[in-house]
């Protein structure tokens, strides 16, 4: 069974926590250490960011991390090589998070084959049009048993949400707002109403809520309204600040209690 599906089927008794980091930042060779540390510290799933020069969905923290990673020399091939080196030591799902331009340049067939070879279970491509996903990407991803995770936002129509739910597997990435990534102090009434609306749709796929989660209020709101939460910018900022994944996760856990 794909590790993503296995995670959601086995952990229905508690809420999940997934973290994002940008591979190659703060150091080129730190990918393996970060992943192994996060698994050891109780993280359920990891989004491994593929650095890109023009990440449209990302806020300043993740954009800056991508810039550092590219300057450090991180490439998609180098990232796959790093992941392959730790494949047998990692047991939680890894989800590759990257933009279409980089993956197309690498080649879809080669990309999904490399995901299998390095132990990744899924991919998130924020700027992948859904029609292209269905016609071009999904058949290749299915061939390699890789889950392509699609995003929904408060602007996504109910019709499109149900279409995504019917044509994807793994989980749905529920973006908390229509803005870019970045920490927020709270989720306002409009966001909570959006969460309630999606809950009422009774979708078949589990959902993870991301964008803006950085403290107790936003974490609990996300976990109350989905299978779990995804944290990106807050952890990336702490990792850049400490240059140490253990210290960064300590500080993150502290922040999530406030």
């Amino acid at each position: 069974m794909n590790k993503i599906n296995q995670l959601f089927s086995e952990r229905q008794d508690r809420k999940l926590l997934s973290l994002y980091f940008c591979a190659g930042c703060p150091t080129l060779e730190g990918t393996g250490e970060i992943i192994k540390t996060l698994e050891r510290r109780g993280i359920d799933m990891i989004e491994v960011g593929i650095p890109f020069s023009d990440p449209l969905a990302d806020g300043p923290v993740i954009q800056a991390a991508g810039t550092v990673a590219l300057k450090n020399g991180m490439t998609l091939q180098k990232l796959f090589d790093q992941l392959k080196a730790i494949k047998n030591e990692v047991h939680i799902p890894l989800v590759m998070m990257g933009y279409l331009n980089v993956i197309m340049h690498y080649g879809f067939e080669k990309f999904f084959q490399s995901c299998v070879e390095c132990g990744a279970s899924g991919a998130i491509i924020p700027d992948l049009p859904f029609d292209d996903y269905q016609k071009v990407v999904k058949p290749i991803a299915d061939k390699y048993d890789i889950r392509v995770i699609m995003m929904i936002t408060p602007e996504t129509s109910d019709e499109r949400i149900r279409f995504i739910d019917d044509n994807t597997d793994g989980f749905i990435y529920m973006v908390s707002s229509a803005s870019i990534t970045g920490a927020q102090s709270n989720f306002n009434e409009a966001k909570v109403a959006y969460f309630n609306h999606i809950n009422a749709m009774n979708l078949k796929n589990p959902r993870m809520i991301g964008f803006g989660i950085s403290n107790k209020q936003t974490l609990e709101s996300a976990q109350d309204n989905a299978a779990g939460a995804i944290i990106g910018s807050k952890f990336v900022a702490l990792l850049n600040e400490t240059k140490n994944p253990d210290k960064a996760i300590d500080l993150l856990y502290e922040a999530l209690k406030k």
Side-chain angles (χ1 to χ4, degrees):
M1 180 186 290
N2 181 284
K3 285 184 180 179
I4 294 172
N5 298 91
Q6 186 175 357
L7 173 66
F8 285 99
S9 66
E10 292 180 351
R11 302 294 179 88
Q12 295 180 18
D13 59 328
R14 68 176 180 82
K15 296 299 183 177
L16 304 177
L17 181 60
S18 176
L19 294 190
Y20 165 96
F21 77 98
C22 181
C25 180
T27 65
L28 177 61
E29 302 298 338
T31 303
E33 181 190 356
I34 292 169
I35 290 171
K36 289 188 289 184
T37 299
L38 295 184
E39 178 170 14
R40 175 171 52 81
R41 298 297 303 276
I43 299 304
D44 298 295
M45 181 166 56
I46 299 172
E47 288 180 23
V48 183
I50 304 165
F52 180 49
S53 57
D54 192 21
L56 298 176
D58 293 318
V61 171
I62 294 177
Q63 284 189 24
T67 299
V68 169
L70 292 172
K71 286 182 178 178
N72 285 343
M74 179 55 75
T75 65
L76 184 51
Q77 184 61 63
K78 190 164 290 188
L79 173 55
F80 278 131
D81 290 342
Q82 291 179 349
L83 295 177
K84 197 180 298 185
I86 61 166
K87 178 181 179 180
N88 296 329
E89 302 173 68
V90 178
H91 308 288
I92 61 175
L94 301 181
V95 180
M96 307 297 293
M97 173 90 163
Y99 287 85
L100 186 59
N101 184 284
V102 178
I103 296 170
M104 281 183 67
H105 187 263
Y106 190 82
F108 287 123
E109 184 90 25
K110 185 181 177 185
F111 176 79
F112 289 112
Q113 183 176 2
S114 296
C115 285
V116 173
E117 291 171 352
C118 77
S121 302
I124 300 172
I125 310 172
D127 55 344
L128 173 65
F130 199 77
D131 288 346
D132 291 346
Y133 158 73
Q134 280 197 297
K135 294 174 183 176
V136 179
V137 175
K138 187 177 187 297
I140 305 172
D142 287 349
K143 173 182 173 183
Y144 292 100
D145 195 33
I146 300 297
R147 302 291 177 261
V148 178
I149 307 305
M150 303 300 289
M151 292 176 157
I152 63 172
T153 77
E155 308 300 319
T156 308
S157 69
D158 286 3
E159 180 182 13
R160 175 49 65 96
I161 291 170
R162 292 206 181 277
F163 197 66
I164 289 172
D165 190 45
D166 289 340
N167 291 277
T168 61
D169 188 17
F171 69 94
I172 291 175
Y173 192 130
M174 189 171 163
V175 177
S176 67
S177 69
S179 63
I180 58 175
T181 58
Q184 299 174 29
S185 60
N186 62 77
F187 287 148
N188 59 27
E189 290 183 8
K191 291 184 176 67
V192 174
Y194 160 58
F195 298 160
N196 291 335
H197 176 72
I198 301 301
N199 285 334
M201 293 182 72
N202 294 315
L203 303 177
K204 70 177 179 67
N205 278 301
R207 301 175 312 284
M208 295 286 285
I209 295 178
F211 284 45
I213 298 168
S214 63
N215 57 23
K216 183 177 180 180
Q217 194 276 344
T218 49
L219 175 67
E220 290 183 348
S221 182
Q223 292 184 329
D224 286 346
N225 288 280
I230 300 168
I231 297 177
S233 296
K234 182 68 174 180
F235 177 69
V236 170
L238 293 172
L239 187 59
N240 289 343
E241 175 187 319
T242 62
K243 307 292 189 293
N244 181 300
D246 255 317
K247 290 180 181 177
I249 196 70
D250 280 341
L251 292 172
L252 178 66
Y253 282 148
E254 284 180 27
L256 295 177
K257 294 176 183 177
K258 299 176 182 177

